[in-house]
Amino acid sequence: MAFSERVTRLKSSLIREILAAAQRPEMMSFAGGLPAETMLPQSEWAQMPRSIGQYGMSEGEPQLREALAAQARALGIACEASQVMIVSGSQQTLDLAAKLYIDKGTEILLEAPTYLAALQIFQLFGADCLTVPLCADGPDLDVLRQRLQRHAPSFAYLIPTFQNPSAVRYSENARDAVAALLDEFNVTLIEDEPYRDLTFDGGSARPIAGRLKRASWIYTGTVSKTLMPGLRVGFLIASPDLFPHLLKLKQAADLHTNRVGQWQALQWIGSERYAQHLDELRTFYRTRRDQFEAALQRHFSDLAQWNSPQGGLFFWLKLNQTLDTRTVLNAALAQNVAFMPGEPFFTDPDANPGYLRLNFSHIDPQRLDEGLRRLAGVIKQAQAALAA
Amino acid sequence: MAFSERVTRLKSSLIREILAAAQRPEMMSFAGGLPAETMLPQSEWAQMPRSIGQYGMSEGEPQLREALAAQARALGIACEASQVMIVSGSQQTLDLAAKLYIDKGTEILLEAPTYLAALQIFQLFGADCLTVPLCADGPDLDVLRQRLQRHAPSFAYLIPTFQNPSAVRYSENARDAVAALLDEFNVTLIEDEPYRDLTFDGGSARPIAGRLKRASWIYTGTVSKTLMPGLRVGFLIASPDLFPHLLKLKQAADLHTNRVGQWQALQWIGSERYAQHLDELRTFYRTRRDQFEAALQRHFSDLAQWNSPQGGLFFWLKLNQTLDTRTVLNAALAQNVAFMPGEPFFTDPDANPGYLRLNFSHIDPQRLDEGLRRLAGVIKQAQAALAA
């Protein structure tokens, strides 16, 4: 059996296994990034033309590209519809970017921690991952400059708005400083923003892609967190030098994104109805965040530190007493509690023990308190066993 | 700008450019593999549950996997639903297979000619392509044995039923012989069957995957040619040794296939309504084939040779007087006629001049005769100019 060399780096995906376990109805899950089931909007399909069943363009539906370009311009990204491509969920943007940039040993720059599935695909292609630690309002700028002085990464992959997993939102200053550094060293930006619209304090900082003067960039987003992930409709917007390559890679990957989902997304993007849905969603998740934080205070105040997330779907906890949280996952699952250990979000998990990512959007509020109580119990027990 | 090494092999896609030109309403297109617009079925969506909007499993919808496994067993492929994965069109199977097998310089085995988009993705990943010429009823078996004796390809990619572009259908004997050779040399089979159901003489030979005793295999199909390509719903079925790797690669590529399209496909696969739709489709395309062949007789009988296709969507013409058909593409487009030059379907296009692939399913029958008349004229003119 002669597999490719990259298959040696094909990790057993912890997140897939946890999510599979979390499917069990009795499970109290803090694991995934799933929208609340009750907030999936009712969708209408009766008006969809039959011609949507035919093959479409690799770029995506022209009207949807126009609508997304208009939305991006309103955020401060100078772009035309010709720079917009519809992809099969923003995860596909990462696959296309990996193909465009990464050979074995290619240096890339990531936040620490960073999005698990990004790490997975970049490492599969053989990337050599440089990291910059995240502070409360953005990356450590001194370390970032150092990395750029000493290395020439092919791109920097950043999630500046309600980062997954840390919930960090870069400040205005951090965004300007990062843009200036990427311009200075001419390093391509890949900016991933699935959570931008889920803001709880109304804050909406201009994307870093809109602050660049020189560096190439790919900006990516999705309707998965705000509309319906089951549509698998995401998008990327790229600087004109990159777009033609990405388009050919998209065609080779799956010809084009499903048109049924694109048609449905088009019924929402830019509409009054969508604005209203987003308002309801923000209110709903803000309430869930507050309920979650109250329960955290009850069960984790002596166990861990965290910042209250101003958007997104996650709390990021750092345990006061270090413990590799991967070691308590099975004990938690045995008590019907699923969570994401924080270690795999780092390129060097063993060097970063003691973090948990807890999703607050999906769990039934009736079971929230019991779930966190059990999770705290499992952690205390493991820490006591270590101390003994 | 530091792109990956593979980007140097990212070809400008002739097919994408031709299809873009073919979008113009005045164009008479023999280029794509598009279903006839009038044969896209009316789809109903009112019963789709709201929960389809949520994230799904990377494997695909359990019921759809069951239905496809049952269909494959009926064709003679011993398999369980656990071996079935739903993919974003069968093109994605090729992307996943490329990731699983191909490093730069990896030897793989292909038919000559073969499917253009397969060649594109395999070469993008750096494959070293060995080829076996196709005869009227399958590959040249002597050459196949020679190749397997002298090389150890990571897989053989074959399209045994109404091959694209050649329309060849492997005979029973050829299928048995190929299976025996792949078993003997333990070479993995990738069997691509988008056109199986579009049979005009009712013939339905058992897939080669169902004849293997030892070699690993991936069998792939799609609803694109029989239902709606716009759904982007394809599937793969793999031997159990390969499935876990393919599943992780699928998750890294786009998490899962869109659930809306999967739900719609499930309303059809295995149903009485689908069987009836397939019957209508076969009758419709058989008539189109006959009309097309009559027009070919009028305009190409002194220009080219062809076999009448017993299924699929294409005529494959070999010109009597050799001419690189890529050189007449612009002249044809200028006369509002689009076609696929045959040369790019070979790994060595320059060594295989004088073929055309003509799609007969999509063109308006009212314009068929005029389109072929113009195309013949363009070819004659170019041949005359060469002879002068």
Side-chain angles (χ1 to χ4, degrees):
Chain A
M1 190 71 65
F3 290 143
S4 66
E5 183 268 344
R6 82 180 62 76
V7 171
T8 60
R9 295 183 300 269
L10 189 56
K11 293 185 189 165
S12 131
S13 169
L14 188 64
I15 200 167
R16 227 187 63 77
E17 285 158 31
I18 297 172
L19 288 178
Q23 300 271 343
R24 303 206 308 263
E26 67 276 19
M27 192 65 70
M28 289 165 275
S29 177
F30 308 118
L34 277 68
E37 204 91 3
T38 49
M39 290 307 282
L40 293 173
Q42 192 64 53
S43 52
E44 300 294 329
W45 297 89
Q47 301 305 313
M48 186 167 65
R50 195 161 70 160
S51 60
I52 285 291
Q54 187 56 282
Y55 281 107
M57 298 170 71
S58 297
E59 294 90 336
E61 298 299 303
Q63 280 182 286
L64 183 57
R65 299 169 72 205
E66 292 283 355
L68 290 166
Q71 179 184 283
R73 283 193 298 267
L75 288 177
I77 301 177
C79 69
E80 301 298 325
S82 60
Q83 293 167 256
V84 178
M85 187 192 308
I86 314 300
V87 292
S88 302
S90 57
Q91 180 71 23
Q92 190 178 45
T93 301
L94 308 183
D95 181 72
L96 301 179
K99 287 169 176 162
L100 183 57
Y101 284 106
I102 304 177
D103 292 317
K104 195 182 172 190
T106 296
E107 288 187 324
I108 64 172
L109 189 82
L110 306 171
E111 300 155 320
T114 188
Y115 173 48
L116 190 54
L119 209 50
Q120 194 183 10
I121 184 87
F122 295 154
Q123 289 182 333
L124 173 68
F125 275 82
D128 194 349
C129 298
L130 312 168
T131 59
V132 177
L134 279 179
C135 311
D137 69 345
D140 183 320
L141 294 170
D142 293 334
V143 175
L144 178 57
R145 173 172 283 281
Q146 253 178 39
R147 294 279 185 273
L148 294 174
Q149 279 169 337
R150 296 188 192 165
H151 301 268
S154 285
F155 62 78
Y157 170 75
L158 306 175
I159 315 164
T161 306
F162 314 129
Q163 205 250 9
N164 180 358
S166 70
V168 165
R169 175 174 50 186
Y170 289 22
S171 66
E172 286 286 340
N173 283 346
R175 285 165 193 258
D176 279 338
V178 168
L181 279 167
L182 295 178
D183 272 340
E184 180 182 343
F185 292 94
N186 202 20
V187 168
T188 296
L189 168 68
I190 300 178
E191 185 170 20
D192 190 359
E193 292 220 316
Y195 302 107
R196 162 169 287 277
D197 287 327
L198 298 182
T199 170
F200 305 142
D201 61 3
S204 177
R206 184 153 47 96
I208 296 175
R211 299 168 196 249
L212 293 172
K213 294 184 172 63
R214 175 183 176 215
S216 302
W217 52 273
I218 301 171
Y219 179 85
T220 187
T222 179
V223 304
S224 291
K225 306 302 179 184
T226 51
L227 204 54
M228 283 168 274
L231 300 179
R232 304 312 298 131
V233 171
F235 63 91
L236 67 82
I237 311 178
S239 50
D241 54 327
L242 304 185
F243 191 88
H245 302 294
L246 291 164
L247 181 58
K248 287 176 207 160
L249 289 167
K250 166 68 178 169
Q251 191 207 9
D254 60 7
L255 303 187
H256 64 81
T257 298
N258 87 87
R259 295 182 74 196
V260 176
Q262 289 190 70
W263 181 85
Q264 185 61 239
L266 182 59
Q267 310 311 304
W268 294 84
I269 302 290
S271 72
E272 185 51 45
R273 181 174 63 143
Y274 190 47
Q276 194 185 325
H277 172 66
L278 288 176
D279 262 353
E280 290 166 11
L281 212 53
R282 284 187 278 258
T283 304
F284 180 89
Y285 285 141
R286 187 168 47 230
T287 305
R288 288 229 162 162
R289 177 203 60 182
D290 292 344
Q291 292 167 336
F292 200 96
E293 189 151 20
L296 272 181
Q297 295 288 1
R298 284 194 291 278
H299 301 293
F300 277 82
S301 56
D302 56 338
L303 275 181
Q305 310 286 325
W306 65 86
N307 290 319
S308 186
Q310 296 307 309
L313 300 175
F314 304 110
F315 277 85
W316 179 242
L317 271 59
K318 179 163 179 50
L319 295 177
N320 296 329
Q321 186 186 329
T322 293
L323 171 78
D324 187 328
T325 68
R326 291 172 294 184
T327 62
V328 297
L329 182 59
N330 283 335
L333 291 173
Q335 295 210 30
N336 288 329
V337 177
F339 74 99
M340 273 304 302
E343 292 81 7
F345 293 88
F346 294 89
T347 51
D348 185 357
D350 295 340
N352 292 278
Y355 292 93
L356 298 84
R357 192 195 73 176
L358 300 181
N359 167 268
F360 61 79
S361 61
H362 191 249
I363 192 158
D364 179 353
Q366 304 293 326
R367 308 175 72 193
L368 162 62
D369 196 80
E370 176 62 16
L372 287 182
R373 193 187 65 75
R374 290 190 196 182
L375 183 57
V378 165
I379 290 168
K380 278 179 196 159
Q381 201 165 21
Q383 289 178 332
L386 277 179
Chain B
M1 190 71 66
F3 290 142
S4 66
E5 183 268 344
R6 85 181 58 78
V7 171
T8 60
R9 295 183 299 268
L10 189 56
K11 292 186 189 164
S12 131
S13 168
L14 188 63
I15 201 166
R16 227 188 62 77
E17 285 158 30
I18 297 172
L19 289 179
Q23 299 271 344
R24 302 205 309 263
E26 67 276 20
M27 192 65 71
M28 289 165 275
S29 178
F30 309 117
L34 277 68
E37 204 91 5
T38 49
M39 291 307 283
L40 293 173
Q42 193 63 53
S43 53
E44 301 295 329
W45 299 89
Q47 302 305 314
M48 186 168 65
R50 196 162 70 161
S51 60
I52 285 289
Q54 187 56 282
Y55 280 107
M57 298 170 72
S58 297
E59 294 90 338
E61 298 298 303
Q63 281 182 285
L64 183 58
R65 298 169 71 204
E66 292 283 357
L68 289 166
Q71 180 184 282
R73 282 192 300 266
L75 288 177
I77 301 177
C79 68
E80 302 298 325
S82 60
Q83 293 167 255
V84 178
M85 186 193 308
I86 314 300
V87 292
S88 302
S90 56
Q91 180 70 25
Q92 190 177 45
T93 301
L94 309 183
D95 180 73
L96 302 179
K99 287 169 177 163
L100 182 57
Y101 284 107
I102 305 177
D103 292 317
K104 194 181 173 190
T106 296
E107 288 187 324
I108 64 172
L109 189 82
L110 306 172
E111 300 156 319
T114 189
Y115 174 47
L116 191 55
L119 210 49
Q120 194 183 11
I121 185 88
F122 295 155
Q123 289 183 332
L124 174 68
F125 276 81
D128 194 348
C129 298
L130 312 167
T131 60
V132 177
L134 278 180
C135 311
D137 68 345
D140 183 320
L141 294 170
D142 293 333
V143 175
L144 179 55
R145 172 171 285 281
Q146 254 180 39
R147 294 278 185 273
L148 295 174
Q149 278 169 335
R150 296 189 191 164
H151 301 269
S154 286
F155 61 78
Y157 170 73
L158 306 176
I159 315 165
T161 307
F162 314 128
Q163 205 249 10
N164 181 359
S166 70
V168 165
R169 175 175 48 188
Y170 289 23
S171 67
E172 287 288 338
N173 283 346
R175 286 165 193 257
D176 279 338
V178 169
L181 279 167
L182 294 178
D183 272 340
E184 179 181 343
F185 292 93
N186 201 18
V187 169
T188 297
L189 167 68
I190 301 179
E191 184 169 22
D192 190 359
E193 292 219 316
Y195 302 107
R196 163 169 285 276
D197 287 326
L198 299 182
T199 171
F200 304 143
D201 60 4
S204 177
R206 184 153 47 97
I208 296 176
R211 300 169 195 250
L212 293 172
K213 295 185 172 60
R214 173 183 177 218
S216 302
W217 53 272
I218 300 171
Y219 179 85
T220 186
T222 178
V223 303
S224 292
K225 307 302 180 184
T226 51
L227 205 55
M228 285 168 273
L231 299 179
R232 305 312 299 129
V233 171
F235 63 92
L236 68 82
I237 311 177
S239 51
D241 53 328
L242 304 185
F243 192 87
H245 302 294
L246 291 165
L247 181 57
K248 287 176 206 161
L249 289 167
K250 166 67 178 171
Q251 191 207 10
D254 61 5
L255 303 188
H256 64 80
T257 298
N258 87 86
R259 295 182 74 195
V260 176
Q262 290 191 71
W263 180 86
Q264 185 62 239
L266 182 59
Q267 308 314 302
W268 296 83
I269 303 290
S271 73
E272 186 49 46
R273 181 173 63 141
Y274 190 48
Q276 193 184 327
H277 172 67
L278 289 176
D279 263 352
E280 289 166 11
L281 212 52
R282 285 188 277 258
T283 304
F284 180 88
Y285 284 141
R286 187 168 46 230
T287 305
R288 288 227 162 164
R289 177 203 60 180
D290 293 343
Q291 291 167 336
F292 200 95
E293 190 151 20
L296 270 181
Q297 295 289 3
R298 284 192 292 278
H299 301 294
F300 277 81
S301 56
D302 57 337
L303 275 181
Q305 310 286 327
W306 64 87
N307 291 318
S308 187
Q310 296 307 310
L313 300 174
F314 305 110
F315 277 84
W316 178 243
L317 271 60
K318 179 164 179 46
L319 295 178
N320 296 329
Q321 185 185 330
T322 294
L323 171 78
D324 188 327
T325 68
R326 292 173 294 184
T327 62
V328 298
L329 182 59
N330 282 334
L333 291 173
Q335 294 209 31
N336 289 327
V337 177
F339 74 99
M340 273 305 300
E343 293 82 6
F345 293 87
F346 294 90
T347 51
D348 185 356
D350 295 341
N352 292 278
Y355 292 93
L356 297 84
R357 192 195 73 176
L358 300 181
N359 168 267
F360 61 79
S361 61
H362 191 250
I363 191 158
D364 179 353
Q366 304 292 327
R367 307 176 73 194
L368 163 61
D369 196 79
E370 177 61 16
L372 287 182
R373 193 188 65 75
R374 290 190 195 183
L375 182 57
V378 165
I379 290 168
K380 279 179 195 161
Q381 202 166 20
Q383 289 178 332
L386 277 179

